[in-house]
Amino acid sequence: MTTRVVVLSDIFGLCAGLERLQADLNQAGAAVQLVDPYQGKRQQFADEASAYAEYIAQCGHDAYAAIAAQVFANSKQPFDLAIGFSAGATALWRALANTDTRLLKQAILFYPGQIYQHLALTPAVPTQVIFGHSEPHFAVTDICSQLQQKPGVTAVSTDYAHGFMNPASQAFDEAGYQQQLSKLLKCLV
């Protein structure tokens, strides 16, 4: 049986980095659905500042959270795993509080930088939150402690920076990508 995975992109949307992750997951036998803030249009930004400006202009945090919720509401088959990155991780966190547990088994969120604004929410499915070593808006260790008090939530920090999973990010780290990819692949079996 094929493992169904939904991936919510960061502000870079559909780009080479996301396609690399999709290929790595597909190679392990997963059927991957990509979700992004740009309605599936491939993006290529010069830097993170231009990506963020476009993200805010075309979508924004509230609209992306609504897109994430619609993915599950419109799904005809359940997902085994949902993965979110940065803005996509925060959108996924917001959607998980109201997601029918029959539609998703578990979620992994990478560096959801806006999660501090949504700590009142509790996901309905087991959720792992993986941060970089720091975030500009909060102390990662404090947020990890708060998140781990929620049932079914684990939260950890890594030695890497926010964006370490995306080759389009200045913070990309190949070793960090490989380490976390290995953990993701274990979730597919």
Side-chain angles (χ1 to χ4, degrees):
M1 186 160 118
T2 302
T3 303
R4 293 192 73 234
V5 178
V6 60
V7 177
L8 283 81
S9 81
D10 59 15
I11 59 173
F12 287 94
L14 300 181
C15 62
L18 194 62
E19 290 165 348
R20 174 186 179 183
L21 176 66
Q22 180 181 25
D24 287 340
L25 295 173
N26 285 354
Q27 187 173 12
V32 180
Q33 177 179 334
L34 299 178
V35 178
D36 74 289
Y38 309 107
Q39 295 84 41
K41 294 185 185 116
R42 188 170 168 76
Q43 302 297 311
Q44 189 167 359
F45 297 106
D47 54 32
E48 291 185 43
S50 16
Y52 188 74
E54 193 65 19
Y55 167 73
I56 294 300
Q58 287 211 26
C59 187
H61 299 302
D62 291 339
Y64 204 11
I67 290 168
Q70 278 302 124
V71 166
F72 298 107
N74 295 341
S75 179
K76 304 227 184 307
Q77 293 181 316
F79 289 101
D80 297 293
L81 176 63
I83 305 168
F85 297 95
S86 193
T90 300
L92 185 54
W93 173 263
R94 292 172 68 184
L96 290 175
N98 298 310
T99 298
D100 184 330
T101 55
R102 294 172 295 182
L103 298 176
L104 177 64
K105 289 184 184 171
Q106 66 175 323
I108 301 175
L109 313 178
F110 288 91
Y111 36 84
Q114 299 293 315
I115 199 170
Y116 72 100
Q117 296 182 5
H118 306 285
L119 293 175
L121 300 175
T122 299
V125 300
T127 302
Q128 296 177 49
V129 184
I130 301 166
F131 291 102
H133 53 71
S134 64
E135 285 288 339
H137 303 297
F138 56 85
V140 170
T141 53
D142 292 346
I143 292 292
C144 284
S145 295
Q146 290 178 56
L147 291 173
Q148 296 205 115
Q149 293 174 21
K150 295 180 176 293
V153 176
T154 60
V156 297
S157 64
T158 65
D159 293 334
Y160 308 108
H162 182 110
F164 74 89
M165 290 291 288
N166 187 345
S169 172
Q170 290 178 335
F172 176 69
D173 188 289
E174 182 66 34
Y177 177 87
Q178 292 299 330
Q179 178 188 70
Q180 294 301 321
L181 176 63
S182 174
K183 291 178 182 179
L184 288 173
L185 296 178
K186 288 177 184 168
C187 292
L188 300 181
V189 292

